[in-house]
Amino acid sequence: MDAGVRLAQQIEAMSQMLAEVEPASLRTSYLADPSAGNPVLQGSTATALVPRWNERPSGLWVPASSQEPAPIDLTAVFLTPEEIFGFRLTSGYTESQLQRLPLEGVLRFCAMVLNALAVPGASVASVDHGFVDLVFNEPVRSRVLNLLQDKTRRLLVPQAFMLLARMAMETSPDALPPEVMEEGDVVGALFALTQTMGVFPDSGPTIIGDRPGTLGRELIANQHFNHNWSVAGFLARYARRWLQLPTEHQGEPGVVDLSQAYRDSTGVQFESLAAVAGYLWMVTTSGRFVIEPGELAVLNIPTEQVEAALALISTDLPGMREAVRSQLPAHRTEWSFDPFQQWPVLRLSEDRLLILDPRHLLNRAFGWLPMWDIKFPPPGHTKPAGHRKLAARAESTLRHLSEVYVSEVLHKITGDEGTTRRVYDDAELRVAFTAQGQRIADAAIDYPGTWIVIEVTTSQLRREAVTAVPGESQIEDIDKLLEELDQIDATIAALRRDEAALTGTSAIADRRYLPLLVLPEGFPVNPVTLTVIRERARARGLFQAPDTDPVEIVDIEELEMIEGIQEESGPSMLDILRSKQSGSLRNAAVRDHIFHVMRLHPNRPVRQSDLLEAALKPLADALPRPPQGQSRRENG
């Protein structure tokens, strides 16, 4: 076949491929651009609407544009002064402006935004846009709004407002001196901070192994500071751990009544603290962050109890100045806000109260921090006899009951009720595996073909670790978690040897094991921390058998998300964890996989409704009752 005939055949083949199925009348009715990046449908000159497809591991073909997110896609980047104003602000601009701004005015400015961001269900984008309309004129206003069209950009950064408040405590006067004719620029002072936030001479290694490095240390502190709990879930867990479980487990060795321990150690009724803090938080949800003088008098609580509760969670501005200035320089980083977390309520002039950040208020009264009051009673209160032992037993009780609560959630997740048996707690594991020196995990869940082996620890990162203080604190805290992982590994080995000792039936072939570490108080899971933990576990020889999956880490809220998914007949916990390990966010937190890869938005578990009511009962009982026949809502 000569070259001319071969060329004619090739042309005919191309013609059939491009236009064989296309009506001749259609070919002249439009223009086609068969250029690179604009593929056409076979047999036609029509441009394909979906140019490329990718095959997922499941075999499903999806448009290439619907790629699963990578961890970096979950990050947001704040705008810099150069982007906002068109130029960089001078070095020292924040300090120079704060010297010409009254302290209370700066605090009100910070509280305005921090409270708006903390309102349940608030849209960060809406708060950003509202701030733009409030403080910027043209052409800056339009420039910023255009930049915010990129959904990965942010204008308002909570860390910057906390840093501004901390710096104002050190720099701003109580009132402007007479010689100052013009107040400083609080907006510029705020955004000048972003020029230096997170900037370090040496960011450390960019490839993460078994140590986080400088950059990893900052990521851990950033994620810890910006982590937001569901308020409803947070209050529900408070009701169960602090109020209900101590009563249900009274009489057990080592368990104490936490409410009684709090009252004995502080002189404050636990219900009074809940009512006062609950009222202050309720006010912030309506958009107010300053409580007027005498407003708390509406509560049906003795005045001395209101004042005693306030004394625990508040301080005046001179007291906060002293607390901020007394922080050790070596422990002061861009994430160090301990005084504001200990005293989230600030006493202003004329007996007004200011809530700087409602998140700190909730954690101070309904999280772990009430234990701080038990361990360190207020100076004016006489410690009860045997106080040190009482405080130790109270902390041990809260840790134990936190583990009990996790067990309850696991049983709810698996539907382990009646004759169905899937969750084995540590008591059953200890009975089954009695070898001397055998280490036992807290629970094991029997799924078809797979055991999820679980250890629960209430250990929390130390202040040095969560505030990115240079040193070994983060590695030391992670190494403590490895001791918990060792218990999981030992339990997996016991199950592998003799599963029937626990279940009473022979093990099926090809069993797999998935280690799961539960930290009820939270842990910043990200590609850095998960890589470091897995690498350090590998160095210890943990979870290296071919039948064992990589370790996963969850907090209690993620478990409750899975509980909510189960109530909606969604995928099982095993399915969720397995799909995460093969997904694009395999090294991120479980919640990120649920939200951004599985695209699930679970409702809170049904049982939390009653718990939320129990948590708010002290406030409901303290609020004045509306006139008979008139609802409280009608009464305003």
Side-chain angles (χ1 to χ4, degrees):
M1 181 183 298
D2 61 26
V5 174
R6 185 181 300 110
L7 177 61
Q9 289 180 343
Q10 291 174 341
I11 292 173
E12 177 63 24
M14 292 175 62
S15 177
Q16 291 176 356
M17 179 179 291
L18 290 173
E20 180 182 26
V21 299
E22 186 174 58
S25 61
L26 187 63
R27 294 175 196 163
T28 59
S29 62
Y30 66 94
L31 296 175
D33 178 16
S35 58
N38 290 288
V40 298
L41 297 176
Q42 184 169 341
S44 169
T45 54
T47 303
L49 293 178
V50 179
R52 289 181 176 79
W53 299 77
N54 290 334
E55 185 181 11
R56 288 188 174 173
S58 63
L60 178 67
W61 286 86
V62 298
S65 59
S66 65
Q67 283 184 322
E68 294 180 352
I72 197 171
D73 296 326
L74 307 183
T75 62
V77 182
F78 54 76
L79 300 181
T80 65
E82 192 168 2
E83 292 173 302
I84 295 170
F85 303 113
F87 55 86
R88 289 180 60 85
L89 296 171
T90 59
S91 176
Y93 189 83
T94 298
E95 291 85 350
S96 65
Q97 298 307 305
L98 288 176
Q99 291 169 0
R100 297 190 292 114
L101 286 164
L103 174 60
E104 185 174 321
V106 178
L107 295 176
R108 285 175 177 260
F109 173 75
C110 295
M112 174 186 68
V113 174
L114 291 171
N115 277 263
L117 291 171
V119 171
S123 163
V124 174
S126 295
V127 178
D128 273 353
H129 283 71
F131 187 86
V132 171
D133 289 336
L134 180 66
V135 304
F136 292 134
N137 297 318
E138 296 294 349
V140 174
R141 178 182 178 278
S142 293
R143 181 188 300 126
V144 173
L145 290 177
N146 285 331
L147 290 168
L148 291 176
Q149 292 295 316
D150 181 349
K151 302 305 180 184
T152 66
R153 305 305 304 274
R154 295 286 183 271
L155 176 66
L156 305 175
V157 184
Q159 178 199 8
F161 286 94
M162 290 301 302
L163 278 174
L164 187 67
R166 192 181 77 182
M167 293 178 67
M169 283 291 173
E170 301 174 285
T171 306
S172 293
D174 291 328
L176 291 184
E179 63 270 17
V180 176
M181 303 301 296
E182 183 179 359
E183 283 196 2
D185 173 16
V186 68
V187 174
L190 169 73
F191 290 114
L193 287 172
T194 63
Q195 288 185 164
T196 56
M197 279 170 46
V199 177
F200 300 95
D202 178 16
S203 61
T206 56
I207 298 177
I208 301 300
D210 63 349
R211 305 183 73 82
T214 303
L215 177 61
R217 187 166 60 235
E218 285 294 305
L219 287 175
I220 291 171
N222 187 317
Q223 191 170 348
H224 183 274
F225 174 82
N226 288 296
H227 179 74
N228 286 318
W229 297 98
S230 156
V231 173
F234 192 84
L235 293 175
R237 290 187 289 275
Y238 156 79
R240 191 75 184 125
R241 296 191 304 173
W242 280 91
L243 305 179
Q244 296 180 351
L245 284 174
T247 300
E248 295 173 14
H249 289 260
Q250 63 181 349
E252 292 183 10
V255 173
V256 299
D257 184 330
L258 294 177
S259 296
Q260 182 67 46
Y262 193 88
R263 182 164 55 251
D264 291 345
S265 299
T266 67
V268 176
Q269 299 284 345
F270 210 41
E271 296 82 358
S272 299
L273 174 67
V276 170
Y279 181 84
L280 296 177
W281 171 77
M282 181 181 69
V283 169
T284 69
T285 64
S286 67
R288 289 197 295 129
F289 51 88
V290 174
I291 287 76
E292 295 300 320
E295 193 170 334
L296 288 171
V298 302
L299 298 177
N300 295 320
I301 300 174
T303 302
E304 61 272 14
Q305 278 291 300
V306 172
E307 288 302 320
L310 273 179
L312 294 173
I313 63 175
S314 71
T315 187
D316 57 19
L317 298 188
M320 183 59 76
R321 280 191 192 276
E322 181 181 356
V324 168
R325 289 170 175 169
S326 65
Q327 283 185 289
L328 296 176
H331 289 180
R332 180 177 294 198
T333 70
E334 292 180 348
W335 305 100
S336 303
F337 309 114
D338 288 2
F340 295 100
Q341 293 162 346
Q342 183 177 348
W343 298 292
V345 182
L346 295 174
R347 295 177 180 264
L348 305 179
S349 58
E350 299 179 349
D351 295 328
R352 290 183 175 88
L353 304 175
L354 180 140
I355 313 302
L356 186 62
D357 189 335
R359 297 181 308 162
H360 297 155
L361 174 62
L362 282 174
N363 194 48
R364 182 64 179 85
F366 302 104
W368 193 274
L369 285 182
M371 188 58 63
W372 194 90
D373 295 328
I374 295 177
K375 296 171 70 173
F376 306 102
H381 180 75
T382 303
K383 296 180 181 179
H387 169 258
R388 183 175 298 179
K389 183 177 180 179
L390 172 64
R393 290 181 64 192
E395 185 169 21
S396 176
T397 295
L398 184 57
R399 293 186 183 278
H400 169 62
L401 297 181
S402 296
E403 295 173 1
V404 170
Y405 182 78
V406 171
S407 177
E408 291 180 344
V409 175
L410 292 175
H411 282 272
K412 288 290 185 181
I413 287 174
T414 60
D416 197 7
E417 299 171 353
T419 59
T420 305
R421 186 53 180 276
R422 298 182 68 179
V423 180
Y424 296 87
D425 293 312
D426 63 339
E428 289 116 344
L429 290 167
R430 293 186 184 282
V431 170
F433 305 121
T434 58
Q436 186 173 4
Q438 173 69 55
R439 303 194 72 185
I440 293 297
D442 287 319
I445 304 179
D446 184 6
Y447 280 99
T450 300
W451 282 98
I452 297 181
V453 184
I454 300 167
E455 180 66 18
V456 183
T457 175
T458 54
S459 296
Q460 302 176 51
L461 293 177
R462 288 171 294 171
R463 298 308 306 162
E464 295 87 350
V466 300
T467 56
V469 173
E472 296 294 305
S473 58
Q474 291 182 341
I475 284 296
E476 292 168 357
D477 287 352
I478 287 174
D479 281 343
K480 290 179 183 177
L481 298 182
L482 295 184
E483 298 300 321
E484 312 294 338
L485 298 185
D486 183 67
Q487 295 186 199
I488 298 178
D489 192 68
T491 304
I492 289 174
L495 286 166
R496 192 183 288 123
R497 287 193 307 268
D498 187 12
E499 177 182 313
L502 178 65
T503 64
T505 58
S506 299
I508 63 173
D510 300 325
R511 273 287 200 181
R512 293 199 62 80
Y513 304 90
L514 196 159
L516 181 65
L517 183 63
V518 179
L519 290 97
E521 303 309 310
F523 183 83
V525 177
N526 56 55
V528 172
T529 55
L530 207 51
T531 297
V532 170
I533 288 172
R534 287 172 174 171
E535 283 297 306
R536 295 182 81 82
R538 183 188 61 78
R540 291 197 184 193
L542 303 177
F543 313 131
Q544 297 307 296
D547 60 1
T548 306
D549 295 327
V551 63
E552 293 289 350
I553 300 176
V554 298
D555 60 33
I556 188 58
E557 187 158 271
E558 289 166 330
L559 282 185
E560 290 171 334
M561 288 179 188
I562 296 174
E563 180 186 353
I565 291 171
Q566 300 307 290
E567 291 180 351
E568 298 167 354
S569 301
S572 70
M573 180 161 72
L574 178 62
D575 290 336
I576 292 170
L577 296 178
R578 276 279 164 76
S579 67
K580 174 181 181 289
Q581 295 195 338
S582 62
S584 61
L585 297 181
R586 64 182 67 87
N587 292 326
V590 168
R591 72 184 64 220
D592 294 328
H593 176 73
I594 290 174
F595 291 150
H596 302 289
V597 177
M598 303 184 76
R599 302 185 189 281
L600 297 175
H601 296 279
N603 294 319
R604 69 172 186 256
V606 173
R607 61 177 178 81
Q608 285 190 354
S609 295
D610 291 339
L611 292 175
L612 183 58
E613 184 177 343
L616 296 177
K617 186 177 185 302
L619 174 60
D621 291 343
L623 289 173
R625 297 186 180 278
Q628 190 171 2
Q630 184 181 15
S631 70
R632 182 167 289 155
R633 178 175 295 178
E634 292 170 341
N635 199 39

